[in-house]
Structures are given as structure tokens and as C-alpha cells.
Amino acid sequence: MANKYYVVDRSLHWFAACLILFILMNMSAQIHTINYQIKGQILHRQDAIQTHALMALGVFVLILARFVWEKSFIAKLSRQSLHGKRHQFFVQSVHACFYLVLSGLVMTGLGMAVNAEVAIQLFGVQLSDVVNSDGQLYSKLLDVHLQLISILWWLIAFHFAGVIYARR
């Protein structure tokens, strides 16, 4: 039977996973399927970016909490056994890539927010300076951000396949 440390660990994992999937699907829906003419293009874009940033901040907090929880209670957390050195390398590589890609998404997202052509505010703090925004930098960061999102989808697929493989 799972102990309370394991339940908290799994809960943090699944809350973060669900929020990541929601962010990936929600941002596309907000940009492409919601009629921006209702609010106007600028307000619609501000709302989409601010909502995305708040949810991303939630993912960051959940992942950080899970990382601290795991390091604090590593001895009390039961883990699935690894099947050899290659399996261990694969698991560690996928997890490291998850952390790297998510960190890259945070960095490029912040860079885009600072250089956005619309005013972006989070918790009353204005992140972007519309007058001094750099459209070229924003465009480059957006390209990297979208590439990282594609890599994240692949990592999710590898993770899912790895879990199925390990439980066979």
C-alpha cells in the first residue's frame, strides 16, 4: 500500500502533468479558436498571454514543490524498479530533458513577455515595456519557444512509452 509520502509525490506529479497538458492545449485554443473580435485583438492577446503565464507559474511551483518533496523524503518514497543500466540512463535522460525543456520554456516565455508589443501584467507588475519592445527578439524567442513545445510533446510521448514498457 502506498504511504502518505508517495501519495503526495504522485499528486504533485499528476497536478503538474495535467496543468502542463492544459497549458499546451489551452494556449492554442485561446489563440486560434476563440473569436478575438469580441474583446478586440490587443485585449484578447493580453488575456491569453497573462492566463498562460499564470498557469506556467503554477507548473513551476508544482515542479519545484515536487523536487523539494522528493529530495526531502527520498528514503520513504517507493519507486518502480529499473531494469538495468540502459533503462536507468533512459529514465534519467528523459527526466533531465523535461527539466531542461521546462526551464527553457520559462526563460523564453519571460523573454517574450518582456518584449511583447502589448502590456503584460502579472500580480500588478508590468512585465513589458511596449515603447521599448524588441519585435525581432520576440520573434526569435517565439521560434525557440515553439521548438521547445514540440520537444515537450515528444518527451511526453517518450515518458508515456517508458511507463508502459516498465510496467509490462
Side-chain angles (χ1 to χ4, degrees), residues 40-52:
Q41 189 171 3
I42 292 174
L43 186 58
H44 173 75
R45 189 168 177 211
Q46 284 174 319
D47 285 350
I49 292 170
Q50 288 173 182
T51 301
H52 182 75

Side-chain angles (χ1 to χ4, degrees), residues 48-110:
I49 292 170
Q50 288 173 182
T51 301
H52 182 75
L54 284 172
M55 288 189 292
L57 182 62
V59 168
F60 178 73
V61 168
L62 285 170
I63 289 173
L64 186 62
R66 180 162 183 243
F67 185 77
V68 169
W69 184 265
E70 187 175 42
K71 295 303 175 196
S72 299
F73 301 108
I74 191 75
K76 296 179 181 179
L77 293 171
S78 58
R79 293 281 182 229
Q80 192 167 353
S81 61
L82 299 174
H83 306 288
K85 294 281 185 192
R86 272 193 303 180
H87 185 225
Q88 181 179 4
F89 175 76
F90 182 75
V91 167
Q92 290 174 339
S93 297
V94 169
H95 284 137
C97 287
F98 263 119
Y99 288 118
L100 287 172
V101 168
L102 290 171
S103 297
L105 286 168
V106 169
M107 300 305 261
T108 55
L110 283 173

Side-chain angles (χ1 to χ4, degrees), residues 80-144:
Q80 192 167 353
S81 61
L82 299 174
H83 306 288
K85 294 281 185 192
R86 272 193 303 180
H87 185 225
Q88 181 179 4
F89 175 76
F90 182 75
V91 167
Q92 290 174 339
S93 297
V94 169
H95 284 137
C97 287
F98 263 119
Y99 288 118
L100 287 172
V101 168
L102 290 171
S103 297
L105 286 168
V106 169
M107 300 305 261
T108 55
L110 283 173
M112 288 188 312
V114 169
N115 290 291
E117 297 168 344
V118 294
I120 307 298
Q121 291 187 12
L122 286 176
F123 304 115
V125 176
Q126 185 163 337
L127 297 177
S128 61
D129 183 7
V130 178
V131 176
N132 295 323
S133 67
D134 185 349
Q136 287 183 333
L137 180 58
Y138 180 89
S139 179
K140 288 177 184 177
L141 289 171
L142 178 60
D143 288 341
V144 173

Side-chain angles (χ1 to χ4, degrees), residues 20 24 98 101-102 105 148-157:
I20 288 169
L24 290 171
F98 263 119
V101 168
L102 290 171
L105 286 168
L148 290 172
I149 289 170
S150 295
I151 293 169
L152 183 60
W153 279 114
W154 279 104
L155 285 171
I156 291 168

